[in-house]
Amino acid sequence: MVDTNGAAMPLLMRTPRIDQVGVVERAARITKRSIKKETKVNGLLLTLNMIDLTTLEGKDSEGKVKQMCYKAKHLLDTYPGLPTVAAVCVYPAMVHTAKKAVEGTGIRVASVATGFPSGQASHEVKISETKFAVEQGADEVDMVISRGKFLAGEYNFVFDEIAAIKEACGNARLKVILETGELVTFDKVRRASDIAMYAGADFIKTSTGKVTPAATLPVTLVMLEAIRDFHYDTGRMVGMKPAGGISKSKLALHYLVMLNEVLGEEWMNNQWFRFGASSLANDVLMQLMKEKTGVYQGKDYFSLD
Amino acid sequence: MSVKNKETIAAETEADMRQPEEASRRLEVLKTYKIFIGGKFPRTESGRYYVAQDEAGHKLANVCLSSRKDFREAVVAARTAFGDWGSRAAFNRGQILYRIAEMLEGRKLQFIDELVKQGAGQAAAGQEVEQSIDRLIYYAGWCDKFQQLFSSVNPVATSHFNFSVPEPTGVVSILAPQDSALLGLVSVIAPVIAGGNTCVVLGSYSKPLSAVTFAEVLSTSDVPGGVVNILTGKMEELAPYFADHMDVNALVYCGDDMEMKKLLQQKAALNLKRVVFYDHVDWMSANGQSPYLIADSQEIKTTWHPIENIGGAKAGY
């Protein structure tokens, strides 16, 4: 057992095996719920408030980041009473720009770090990138785990790395990206979730959005159950962030149903649950306008994100 | 030994065919008439259906009673297909329309049979199918020619090269003629897609068979999925959504119900849809086809291209 800043590596033999068929079936049943009218509207408003509006492209420029931050602040001005999104998520080099753009709005700035998206960088580079992002004003850091090491069975390495990044984060909250698309099996997802949480993650996150498959309902279910078990064992709450591939409101509502069923109401806010997405916001806005006006909406009438 | 086997089988098959009473005992496999969205044939999401009858009141088929959600899905499919279809070479669109005609020709007898079941006389049905094929050929030819007809170079007083060209409007929702089940349908779809638009069409309520079978023709004739989407159902129920959907750019209505026209115009005003009414059009006649029908679903884009000196004229400033 390794000791890092008081965090202790979990006993991995106690990590349960996942019933893949059962998980897929249960996730599928959740999509059968029908959510309509006021419940739907409330769910959509909550969804908006949980979005980490994201731009993580090689072609990102200051202008693009400013535009996205403006979108985060003014989702749809013709619809009074809308919440803002939870955070904007950018590369470390853009944190300063984003921080200035959302100042005074309550919108947080999240930054990816640790050699996103591959995580193939040296330890020193990862630590200094994390520190740089926090110094620039990031409220949250989204790190990627070393999947190569994890798949090679070097769990202690992964654990130590997460713990070290957590320390480098200081007061910023740490989201740990497992990149479930590269872990392949639910057993490995569950194991990686346990390692991340015991190493001090404030959030566990499915994907970078650069690998297919990204977030899916079944993999999210596995991670939510890991969070639930961790909470039973330690009394500490950990947040969840599915990211990548969630672009439709209906799907977002399915995620909320699942969240409510597995973790309960305590987790139903943006302190403990986020959607990593870019095009989801506009789809939610279109659905909200549809509920308000009764008319199906077209994307021509919504600002770009 | 295998040769002998084949011979035996052939002999038995022949024997089967010689016994009509034996053949008539076979239970006929009936076609399920489904709707056409995004190149696929789903049933309506609502699970509803109605019974299409011939004039004597005999049941023809159970037909999907589409809901507004089917329409919504169809608009999504049409919007997705628009990018590719609208930007294809006009000549390629012409080839594909020609291909539709080829496929329709091959299924002539099936269409005649269905038109007769829906109440047409044998001769009239044959004429209607032939006219439909010819109409597709007509618009196939126009695909890369109407642009020249409706384009212009405009004289302006500044040093600009100023020209106007038609461009596809986008997604067009079409309430097809109720009485002309095949020819009417073809006559309103063809000019819309010839112009590079994609469409969602509501077929005839009382004569829905031709619309569904025409969808089968479309799906085997290189028309990309989503370019034409065909629904069956009640016009009174679906028309408001055809008119007020914000992602639809133009609306075609074939009918002369004044109340309906008023409703459609009011709803379509929401996003300033292009509204086209075809009432009292005899689709069998020469009036049923014209490049101006293509122009009905086109936008004219005018470009001001700055130049230094055109035709020896001096700049005005």
Side-chain angles (χ1 to χ4, degrees), chain A residues 36 250 287 290 294-301, chain B residues 68-69 72 79 241 244-247 249 270-271:
Chain A
K36 303 286 180 202
K250 201 172 183 179
Q287 292 302 319
K290 157 72 176 63
V295 172
Y296 289 122
Q297 302 295 309
K299 64 174 175 1
D300 291 354
Y301 304 95
Chain B
R68 63 188 165 92
K69 288 191 180 172
R72 179 192 64 187
R79 176 57 66 192
Y241 303 102
D244 70 10
H245 195 307
M246 297 290 277
D247 208 20
N249 306 101
L270 210 54
N271 67 336

Side-chain angles (χ1 to χ4, degrees), chain B:
Chain B
M1 177 160 177
S2 68
V3 175
K4 193 178 176 187
N5 258 348
K6 267 184 195 165
E7 278 169 359
T8 324
I9 291 166
E12 280 169 2
T13 315
E14 212 176 309
D16 274 352
M17 288 167 82
R18 265 187 263 116
Q19 291 174 316
E21 71 278 10
E22 195 72 21
S24 68
R25 245 192 263 161
R26 182 176 167 274
L27 195 61
E28 201 184 347
V29 180
L30 296 172
K31 180 164 89 184
T32 314
Y33 284 83
K34 296 194 280 187
I35 54 180
F36 185 53
I37 298 176
K40 296 195 168 64
F41 290 91
R43 289 184 172 82
T44 164
E45 62 78 40
S46 65
R48 304 175 306 169
Y49 69 95
Y50 68 99
V51 178
Q53 296 174 326
D54 64 11
E55 279 178 342
H58 299 121
K59 175 175 177 173
L60 291 176
N62 289 336
V63 179
C64 288
L65 189 57
S66 305
S67 68
R68 63 188 165 92
K69 288 191 180 172
D70 295 316
F71 173 65
R72 179 192 64 187
E73 296 305 318
V75 171
V76 171
R79 176 57 66 192
T80 310
F82 176 63
D84 171 49
W85 184 247
S87 56
R88 268 178 199 242
F91 181 69
N92 184 232
R93 284 201 295 268
Q95 288 175 308
I96 290 173
L97 257 78
Y98 194 95
R99 179 79 179 156
I100 304 174
E102 287 178 3
M103 293 293 113
L104 191 51
E105 181 85 45
R107 291 213 195 197
K108 222 160 139 182
L109 293 178
Q110 186 185 2
F111 277 96
I112 292 174
D113 177 51
E114 279 181 351
L115 285 173
V116 169
K117 276 186 191 164
Q118 290 175 148
Q122 189 74 34
Q127 251 187 328
E128 180 167 350
V129 175
E130 277 167 11
Q131 183 74 269
S132 303
I133 297 165
D134 294 351
R135 188 134 300 165
L136 284 161
I137 300 289
Y138 175 86
Y139 283 111
W142 272 113
C143 277
D144 57 354
K145 296 173 191 73
F146 75 91
Q147 294 88 343
Q148 296 88 308
L149 201 64
F150 299 118
S151 294
S152 61
V153 173
N154 314 312
V156 288
T158 56
S159 60
H160 289 89
F161 178 38
N162 184 297
F163 55 96
S164 303
V165 286
E167 289 195 340
T169 296
V171 175
V172 182
S173 59
I174 303 175
L175 299 162
Q178 290 294 308
D179 41 0
S180 183
L182 178 65
L183 181 60
L185 185 82
V186 170
S187 301
V188 288
I189 292 177
V192 165
I193 61 173
N197 303 288
T198 57
C199 60
V200 182
V201 191
L202 180 66
S204 165
Y205 179 82
S206 56
K207 302 171 179 175
L209 305 190
S210 309
V212 177
T213 307
F214 184 64
E216 291 162 16
V217 167
L218 291 169
S219 80
T220 51
S221 47
D222 301 335
V223 181
V227 169
V228 181
N229 304 277
I230 298 182
L231 307 178
T232 51
K234 277 202 182 96
M235 181 169 340
E236 308 82 69
E237 182 193 344
L238 291 173
Y241 303 102
F242 271 60
D244 70 10
H245 195 307
M246 297 290 277
D247 208 20
V248 171
N249 306 101
L251 167 71
V252 176
Y253 169 62
C254 307
D256 51 8
D257 179 348
M258 284 313 288
E259 282 301 310
M260 178 63 87
K261 282 186 182 175
K262 191 175 149 194
L263 174 91
L264 294 177
Q265 274 177 326
Q266 277 173 348
K267 298 235 172 215
L270 210 54
N271 67 336
L272 304 179
K273 273 182 201 65
R274 185 173 283 275
V275 181
V276 185
F277 293 145
Y278 298 128
D279 43 4
H280 308 298
V281 177
D282 176 8
W283 298 108
M284 286 301 283
S285 75
N287 293 333
Q289 60 184 31
S290 153
Y292 288 96
L293 266 59
I294 303 179
D296 283 342
S297 56
Q298 297 289 304
E299 296 287 342
I300 300 295
K301 185 170 90 178
T302 295
T303 304
W304 294 68
H305 188 75
I307 49 164
E308 201 165 318
N309 185 331
I310 186 168
K314 290 281 184 290
Y317 53 89

